[in-house]
Amino acid sequence: MGSVIARGCVHTGLPPKRMLENIYQSSRSYCSFLMPSSFHRLGLLTGKSPDQILDEHTVFPYSVAFMPKEERERLRKKALELNVQTDCLGSLTKSVTYGVPFRRVCPQCITEDLNTYGETYWHRSHMLPAVHICAQHGVRLHETDMRLKRNLNKSFIHFPTPFGHKSISDIAPSFILQAVTEVSIAALKAVTPLEMDWHYVYRTKSLEKGYRIEGGAVASRVLTADILRFYGEKFLKDCGAQFMEGAAGPWPSLMSREGSGIPFAPVKHVLMQIFLNAESSQTLNVTGSYSRPGPRSGDSVALDTKAAKALQRELQKATRNGVRLTVQALLRTIGIWEKFRHHREKFPKTNALVQAFKASDQSERQLGRRKRLYNKPT
Ligand SMILES: [Zn+2]
């Protein structure tokens, strides 16, 4: 909507301040670029309904997409009030603009807009936090040196140009940017599933992915570390979702907690959803011991039993073939050497077999006290 007002200035030759006075019929010096107010007046002037302005020309749908239904409806009602205050939607705007330091443009959109309209404008879908791909053209957006939030000076009427912007292609891998764009644009177009209890969803999915500690709680520290690794510090900082260490913990840990009652910026919902829906094998390096820092005792009992059986099979094979082995080689073969070495107490069955093996003919360690018996059937 900010672009519409700024284009109005260009077409009429009015300075921005006068333009706003004409639109709002009062004196004011600031107008939020992505979320102006007085939707009735703007609707009247543009031939659209106030709802259309709110839904199709502001970031309102995105900023409320992950809120509970009652909250969304309360904010919509408030936004559409006739005598709405300038800053009534300030916190909503902030939840969007906080993660967008500079305005972004799509080089292909600039060309098309110039061909179609003879002028360019700032697309709201390019200004969402963490969105670095044009949903229409699928190409990476460029970053301009224009801050998203501008005061009403003459740069208010500044439009995208074919030059003077740069690619920031190293911000994150394409598959991440693609997913972020899809989820964010769905939120902007209000096609996000609306009746979800998101905290419940995040908690359940985290547990399903193996982020579980003893007692059934979410392993939030490991989850947070994995989210940081997945997106990278640079990307998280760019979209305003860097971790703030506080008394309550960083946002991924709070979001995966049920009933925390804290509202989170939409971009954090977007990042959380993408991370939890990502294919573990492709994007995460989750191994048993890593994702489950506190394995339940049932797990290690099962592992011990499995290891003992595998060890028994290897020992029978060695005996049959008359091969001598070291304990380390044997346990490496069945894949538990590292775990066994550090947590011998958790493998009582396996350890009993290892001790018996050490005293047997097949143990390489006894070499030197006897003749070698390689390949000789016993
Ligand atoms: Zn484009």
Side-chain angles (χ1 to χ4, degrees):
M1 200 65 212
S3 275
V4 176
I5 298 171
R7 282 156 89 188
C9 294
V10 172
H11 287 259
T12 58
L14 282 175
K17 199 170 177 339
R18 286 285 309 284
M19 178 54 100
L20 290 188
E21 279 170 14
N22 277 298
I23 293 173
Y24 294 110
Q25 298 171 314
S26 67
S27 145
R28 59 156 78 198
S29 58
Y30 180 76
C31 166
S32 165
F33 195 78
L34 294 171
M35 190 98 74
S37 50
S38 300
F39 298 101
H40 288 272
R41 184 82 183 132
L42 288 170
L44 194 73
L45 293 169
T46 53
K48 289 181 179 286
S49 73
D51 282 284
Q52 265 181 316
I53 298 278
L54 192 63
D55 289 334
E56 295 167 19
H57 298 277
T58 74
V59 290
F60 181 83
Y62 172 87
S63 60
V64 300
F66 305 101
M67 289 180 179
K69 193 180 171 205
E70 311 78 60
E71 184 64 2
R72 281 199 317 273
E73 284 173 357
R74 187 186 71 80
L75 287 165
R76 170 176 291 273
K77 212 169 144 225
K78 198 173 163 190
L80 294 175
E81 272 171 16
L82 271 173
N83 54 349
V84 71
Q85 292 299 305
T86 319
D87 293 329
C88 98
L89 299 173
S91 64
L92 280 187
T93 317
K94 222 163 119 191
S95 76
V96 179
T97 55
Y98 177 63
V100 189
F102 297 100
R103 294 186 190 180
R104 295 191 277 260
V105 293
C106 162
Q108 291 192 33
C109 282
I110 291 181
T111 310
E112 276 190 21
D113 291 343
L114 280 174
N115 288 340
T116 314
Y117 309 110
E119 60 187 4
T120 60
Y121 66 101
W122 304 101
H123 293 235
R124 62 178 180 151
S125 63
H126 298 164
M127 306 295 169
L128 302 177
V131 171
H132 286 274
I133 288 183
C134 173
Q136 204 185 328
H137 296 108
V139 298
R140 291 222 183 182
L141 298 175
H142 284 191
E143 198 170 72
T144 69
D145 55 5
M146 254 194 97
R147 299 212 155 264
L148 178 57
K149 289 201 263 184
R150 303 295 296 204
N151 286 330
L152 268 188
N153 51 32
K154 66 174 189 244
S155 63
F156 180 81
I157 43 174
H158 188 102
F159 298 99
T161 59
F163 312 103
H165 38 78
K166 61 180 191 299
S167 158
I168 42 166
S169 52
D170 61 336
I171 191 97
S174 284
F175 76 93
I176 287 182
L177 297 185
Q178 196 63 50
V180 168
T181 303
E182 276 164 30
V183 177
S184 304
I185 299 300
L188 183 65
K189 303 215 157 139
V191 289
T192 300
L194 289 174
E195 303 314 319
M196 294 277 217
D197 178 348
W198 291 111
H199 292 284
Y200 175 78
V201 172
Y202 301 151
R203 187 180 126 75
T204 310
K205 285 205 167 171
S206 301
L207 293 175
E208 272 170 22
K209 281 193 94 137
Y211 295 104
R212 181 193 289 272
I213 52 171
E214 217 163 341
V218 172
S220 54
R221 200 178 301 172
V222 188
L223 175 73
T224 303
D226 276 2
I227 288 181
L228 177 61
R229 212 187 331 270
F230 184 74
Y231 289 110
E233 219 174 318
K234 188 179 174 187
F235 182 62
L236 290 178
K237 200 166 174 223
D238 172 85
C239 64
Q242 65 270 45
F243 300 135
M244 305 285 186
E245 288 291 346
W251 61 262
S253 122
L254 294 175
M255 279 184 112
S256 57
R257 219 174 277 173
E258 255 180 288
S260 66
I262 309 165
F264 291 92
V267 65
K268 291 175 182 166
H269 284 275
V270 171
L271 298 180
M272 192 74 169
Q273 289 175 24
I274 290 166
F275 174 78
L276 290 175
N277 287 330
E279 282 294 324
S280 304
S281 56
Q282 184 202 340
T283 53
L284 297 174
N285 187 21
V286 176
T287 63
S289 63
Y290 178 62
S291 65
R292 297 175 188 87
R296 287 162 296 168
S297 55
D299 292 342
S300 57
V301 169
L303 186 61
D304 184 27
T305 307
K306 212 174 136 193
K309 273 186 191 157
L311 183 57
Q312 239 160 0
R313 276 197 300 274
E314 285 305 312
L315 288 174
Q316 280 164 3
K317 211 156 75 183
T319 308
R320 218 166 36 237
N321 299 332
V323 175
R324 289 213 184 109
L325 295 160
T326 63
V327 171
Q328 185 178 345
L330 256 178
L331 296 184
R332 277 196 193 283
T333 308
I334 60 171
I336 61 152
W337 168 246
E338 291 296 333
K339 280 199 185 109
F340 180 82
R341 194 158 66 124
H342 296 299
H343 304 284
R344 199 162 296 218
E345 76 287 355
K346 287 187 179 166
F347 296 90
K349 288 182 196 165
T350 311
N351 196 27
L353 287 171
V354 166
Q355 298 312 321
F357 164 72
K358 277 184 176 171
S360 75
D361 277 336
Q362 267 61 51
S363 177
E364 184 75 317
R365 291 286 154 150
Q366 294 176 0
L367 201 74
R369 285 203 272 129
R370 305 165 304 192
K371 284 184 175 177
R372 291 168 75 95
L373 290 166
Y374 285 123
N375 298 326
K376 186 184 167 191
T378 54

